[in-house]
Amino acid sequence: MGITVRHLRKTYDGFRALDDVSVEVPDGSLTALLGPSGSGKSTLLQAIAGLEAPDSGEVLIDGQIANALPPRERHVGFVFQHYAAFKHMTVRDNVGFGLRVRKRPKAEIRVRVDELLHLVQLDGYAERYPAQLSGGQRQRMALARALAVEPRVLLLDEPFGALDARVREELRGWLRRLHDEVHVTTVLVTHDQEEAMEIASRIVVMNQGRVEQSGTPTELYEHPATEFVMSFVGKVNRVGDAYIRPHEVVICSPDRDDCLPATVDRAVMLGFDNRIELTLQGGERVWAQVTRQEMARLTPFPGQVVGVDLSRRRRPGAAEAASTSPEGAAIAAAGAIRRDRHPE
């Protein structure tokens, strides 16, 4: 079921948590609300769920205005960061809790719970208690409990925030596969840009209670509409008043007229993802993302003077343009030409 949010506003003691927010969540999509703490993303999620009443604006679920509906009647499943498990209940009883509240037949509940435990890869854990599960397993149990009542919409509020990095990474791929299987409209709140880029088919970037931009991960990365989106979505260098992605920084010969002199500060080898940290003559620092092959060919070392081609730097929301800083003026004089990544 699709979700439409129209001109939502919410204020707490003078603090504007939502400021004229409008969002479209397509039916069957996995949409991420991405932004820093205090950007309004969790407030928006709670307004969709019916846990917070907006001061003005509308929430529509499947085309029907839901403002006056209590959470239960909105048919949403909600998963919080900290599981909210019933510690005295087994995994089976936790997952089937919502069905028992709805007074479904016991045989139906057992079949449904078994199906869900298989779906979330918890076969064999039905009689355990939450304390006997790992963090990742408890979160999968929470997702199964939310799915048990067959919600029209699944809302996830920082579901992996309390887990360590390795478990988070594993669960990202698992959640994406789960969504592809159940096809329920899903909204995920996260402040982790990598998580949003990896999981979501659409991303809504929020900042200070407003929507900065929404679109596919590729659209946001390649065509950021604002400076905030450029700096928040994906890794980026700022030089002067323009930005350049690390993979667009080209190491070249310092003798080339169109390359700026820079000093190598450090070379970091991280398997496939390698970086060269540099300082420009004016003192600004940038880093280049290079492949293992490039790193082997360049053999950079601290103190080495190289050239950097920054011609692909740009200002968000506009055509590529050189900065007004001295480095930008030098690039403009040389001409903004896209070159290969090989030094002369």
Side-chain angles (χ1 to χ4, degrees):
M1 305 295 179
I3 302 169
T4 300
V5 173
R6 295 177 180 165
H7 306 294
L8 226 58
R9 289 181 169 86
K10 181 67 178 180
T11 301
Y12 299 100
D13 297 326
F15 172 72
R16 192 169 294 177
L18 296 176
D19 185 6
D20 194 26
V21 169
S22 295
V23 170
E24 289 283 349
V25 178
D27 180 23
S29 70
L30 199 168
T31 298
L33 304 180
L34 174 66
S37 297
S39 61
K41 54 190 186 297
S42 289
T43 303
L44 176 56
L45 197 75
Q46 291 168 3
I48 293 172
L51 301 176
E52 286 286 354
D55 299 332
S56 61
E58 295 178 332
V59 174
L60 290 83
I61 299 177
D62 195 26
Q64 303 297 314
I65 297 176
N67 289 46
L69 295 178
R72 181 173 174 177
E73 293 182 23
R74 297 189 187 201
H75 302 288
V76 300
F78 207 113
V79 178
F80 297 92
Q81 177 176 332
H82 293 290
Y83 326 121
F86 298 109
K87 297 180 181 179
H88 65 287
M89 293 184 183
T90 64
V91 170
R92 175 179 295 282
D93 289 341
N94 264 281
V95 173
F97 178 78
L99 296 173
R100 292 197 303 278
V101 169
R102 287 163 175 77
K103 301 187 184 302
R104 299 284 181 84
K106 290 184 179 180
E108 177 187 329
I109 293 175
R110 175 168 287 275
V111 170
R112 178 65 174 158
V113 170
D114 286 342
E115 290 175 348
L116 288 166
L117 291 179
H118 178 70
L119 183 67
V120 301
Q121 301 171 8
L122 287 177
D123 301 279
Y125 292 84
E127 304 310 319
R128 294 194 185 187
Y129 289 87
Q132 297 173 304
L133 303 179
S134 68
Q137 289 169 337
R138 285 196 293 269
Q139 198 58 285
R140 281 187 274 144
M141 180 193 70
L143 282 162
R145 185 176 58 193
L147 290 170
V149 295
E150 299 180 314
R152 297 189 295 176
V153 175
L154 182 62
L155 305 177
L156 311 176
D157 193 0
E158 301 271 10
F160 309 139
L163 305 174
D164 64 55
R166 181 176 179 180
V167 176
R168 285 202 308 269
E169 187 174 345
E170 292 174 353
L171 286 181
R172 287 174 195 165
W174 173 83
L175 178 60
R176 181 73 245 185
R177 293 190 297 272
L178 176 67
H179 177 266
D180 290 342
E181 186 167 343
V182 298
H183 297 295
V184 63
T185 302
T186 302
V187 182
L188 165 75
V189 162
T190 181
H191 64 271
D192 186 329
Q193 54 175 281
E194 184 177 331
E195 185 170 281
M197 298 283 281
E198 183 176 339
I199 293 177
S201 53
R202 292 186 61 79
I203 299 174
V204 178
V205 181
M206 299 188 66
N207 182 36
Q208 298 182 339
R210 300 183 66 88
V211 174
E212 293 271 342
Q213 187 178 357
S214 61
T216 66
T218 299
E219 288 169 347
L220 297 180
Y221 188 84
E222 297 292 345
H223 306 289
T226 68
E227 182 175 319
F228 178 83
V229 176
M230 181 75 183
S231 61
F232 196 78
V233 178
K235 299 171 182 176
V236 71
N237 293 293
R238 179 167 184 168
V239 183
D241 61 357
Y243 294 83
I244 185 168
R245 301 289 187 192
H247 70 270
E248 296 174 332
V249 176
V250 178
I251 308 298
C252 51
S253 168
D255 298 327
R256 273 175 42 177
D257 293 337
D258 52 1
C259 288
L260 303 173
T263 301
V264 174
D265 296 323
R266 190 167 69 130
V268 182
M269 299 284 290
L270 297 172
F272 180 78
D273 185 10
N274 304 283
R275 60 191 291 163
I276 302 174
E277 299 174 2
L278 307 128
T279 299
L280 304 177
Q281 278 191 329
E284 291 181 293
R285 303 187 70 180
V286 299
W287 64 279
Q289 186 178 41
V290 300
T291 65
R292 292 176 61 187
Q293 291 78 10
E294 288 176 299
M295 188 72 87
R297 183 177 65 251
L298 294 168
T299 60
F301 56 88
Q304 179 184 9
V305 177
V306 299
V308 290
D309 176 358
L310 303 179
S311 62
R312 295 186 66 181
R313 65 207 296 252
R314 61 192 185 275
R315 297 186 184 95
E320 285 192 20
S323 170
T324 54
S325 67
E327 289 82 3
I331 294 171
I337 303 171
R338 181 178 295 185
R339 284 165 284 273
D340 62 26
R341 297 181 65 88
H342 297 272
E344 292 183 346

